[in-house]
Amino acid sequence: MLVVASDAHRAHVSLEIHNGIMSESHESPERADGIAAALAVAGHEMVVPEAVDLDLVRSVHTTEYVDFLSTAWERWSERETGPAAMSFMWPARGFGDARPDDLIGQLGYHSFAADTTIVPGTWEAITAAAAIATTAADRLLDTRATTYGLCRPPGHHASTDQFGGYCYLNNAGIAAQRLLDRGAQRVAIIDVDYHHGNGTQSIFYDRSDVVFVSIHADPREEFPWFAGHADEVGVGPGEGWNLNVPLPRGADRARWFDALDTAAGYLDRSEVDAIVVSLGVDAYVGDPLGTFELTTDDFTVVAQRIAALDRPTVVIQEGGYAGEALGVNVAAFLAGC
Ligand code: OKS
Ligand code: ZN
């Protein structure tokens, strides 16, 4: 399978507040390097992406947000000495939605969590990840064969104008928009990451041309806590085009595969002509951020079930943090495509 990847992600070494301590993010450069190494061993063809298409990025995100991301580190470094740009206040319930002029206020306005910071290499990495998603979509359309975009940082938590959950630009959303721009009538994004893809959901919530389907840990007991419930079905023209299948923390393999049947059945009925897979592999039994129990071999079966939908498919990397097993699990998934 064609794998689109870049080394540009390495410059992005972010911090997160975890267990009350500021430390290096779980979302590390070793993740993508480990996946690339495992995919090279498996014999996949690797190519670098074309230059990023910022007009495409701006059709998924607001111009204000993209401009903010492109300048945030420089603005931070001119006045702050901390190693990573982040806010310490977010517009929670009861506050207004006016965008502040000040940098710290804008960092709060454009984010939703204390797990995601902006560092010197962030812009380079996130634009490379968006380019990877775009090139993976383009090569799919050129060849009709499934492609994989090794995006890092991930994207499914990023909305039109907010970063968080280690995500800044919504790579899967950018791939889906590219498929639409090149002729697809309706695209499905199936998100199998352990965490709900709140950003992807929100970007396409009022649209019927992108169907979002997600299997994830129930937000009543897991990040991102404020989105991902089963009653979130879309609004306006998007009503009925969003399906969440939340599972309790610790759900076993049988329950997970039942959820996949539900998701796949819904997709098959949705008349989509292309599929984007948001491939988080943090539903793995050994993942430090997950509580599900999928095995390495299960990821091959998941891919086979999605491949049986028989639509042109592009696979975009999201989460997964299980050290050496991360790359092995991604390779297992690609083996089933
Ligand atoms: C605790 C970790 C917060 C969860 C971030 C989830 C990132 C992810 N500091 N999303 O799919 O994998
Ligand atoms: Zn995740």
Side-chain angles (χ1 to χ4, degrees):
M1 176 181 312
L2 187 72
V3 170
V4 188
S6 160
D7 290 340
H9 74 88
R10 288 186 187 150
H12 174 68
V13 185
S14 187
L15 304 180
E16 69 177 310
I17 294 181
H18 183 69
N19 293 336
I21 295 168
M22 189 84 162
S23 48
E24 237 173 65
S25 178
H26 284 90
E27 204 292 288
S28 67
E30 288 71 36
R31 294 182 60 251
D33 287 345
I35 294 170
L39 298 187
V41 168
H44 293 287
E45 181 191 353
M46 307 249 191
V47 297
V48 296
E50 305 289 327
V52 67
D53 180 346
L54 286 179
D55 288 331
L56 173 64
V57 173
R58 288 191 209 97
S59 71
V60 169
H61 297 278
T62 67
T63 296
E64 185 177 70
Y65 178 61
V66 175
D67 290 348
F68 169 80
L69 289 174
S70 71
T71 55
W73 176 257
E74 188 185 344
R75 292 171 68 199
W76 174 271
S77 64
E78 279 165 3
R79 54 177 264 197
E80 310 288 345
T81 56
M86 67 179 291
S87 191
F88 51 84
M89 182 174 178
W90 294 268
R93 265 190 311 286
F95 287 99
D97 55 12
R99 185 175 187 262
D101 297 329
D102 175 71
L103 173 63
I104 306 298
Q106 290 182 357
L107 282 160
Y109 179 85
H110 284 302
S111 67
F112 62 85
D115 57 12
T116 309
T117 69
I118 292 171
V119 293
T122 299
W123 176 249
E124 186 188 349
I126 64 180
T127 48
I132 287 168
T134 307
T135 299
D138 282 339
R139 292 295 93 83
L140 165 66
L141 294 175
D142 298 343
T143 66
R144 294 274 136 185
T146 300
T147 58
Y148 169 74
L150 207 184
C151 296
R152 175 183 177 268
H156 73 150
H157 295 302
S159 69
T160 57
D161 65 352
Q162 288 185 299
F163 63 91
Y166 312 151
C167 302
Y168 305 80
L169 296 176
N170 197 304
N171 307 309
I174 288 165
Q177 189 61 53
R178 181 63 139 212
L179 297 174
L180 293 172
D181 291 350
R182 288 191 56 184
Q185 296 297 303
R186 179 175 294 123
V187 176
I189 301 177
I190 178 166
D191 188 327
V192 299
D193 190 282
Y194 172 77
H195 305 94
H196 179 247
N198 61 288
T200 314
Q201 171 174 297
S202 80
I203 289 168
F204 300 110
Y205 206 58
D206 63 355
R207 288 169 54 171
S208 62
D209 57 346
V210 177
V211 196
F212 181 66
V213 183
S214 180
I215 303 164
H216 50 267
D218 195 316
R220 285 178 291 194
E221 41 186 26
E222 185 56 273
F223 182 95
W225 291 294
F226 308 106
H229 301 283
D231 64 357
E232 296 163 11
V233 297
V235 290
E239 191 173 342
W241 298 106
N242 193 87
L243 178 69
N244 286 326
V245 190
L247 297 171
R249 277 173 65 93
D252 65 15
R253 300 170 57 244
R255 288 197 72 161
W256 200 94
F257 277 99
D258 278 349
L260 183 61
D261 274 343
T262 303
Y266 171 86
L267 277 189
D268 222 11
R269 291 187 301 275
S270 298
E271 294 186 2
V272 300
D273 39 27
I275 293 175
V276 177
V277 182
S278 264
L279 177 64
V281 290
D282 39 12
Y284 177 58
V285 61
D287 197 282
L289 294 187
T291 65
F292 292 167
E293 301 187 340
L294 296 191
T295 65
T296 296
D297 289 345
D298 284 338
F299 287 109
T300 306
V301 180
V302 177
Q304 288 167 339
R305 184 75 179 82
I306 294 171
L309 295 169
D310 200 23
R311 308 296 206 288
T313 301
V314 52
V315 181
I316 298 295
Q317 186 63 44
E318 302 287 358
Y321 309 93
E324 296 279 290
L326 170 57
V328 175
N329 289 337
V330 173
F333 185 93
L334 297 192
C337 286

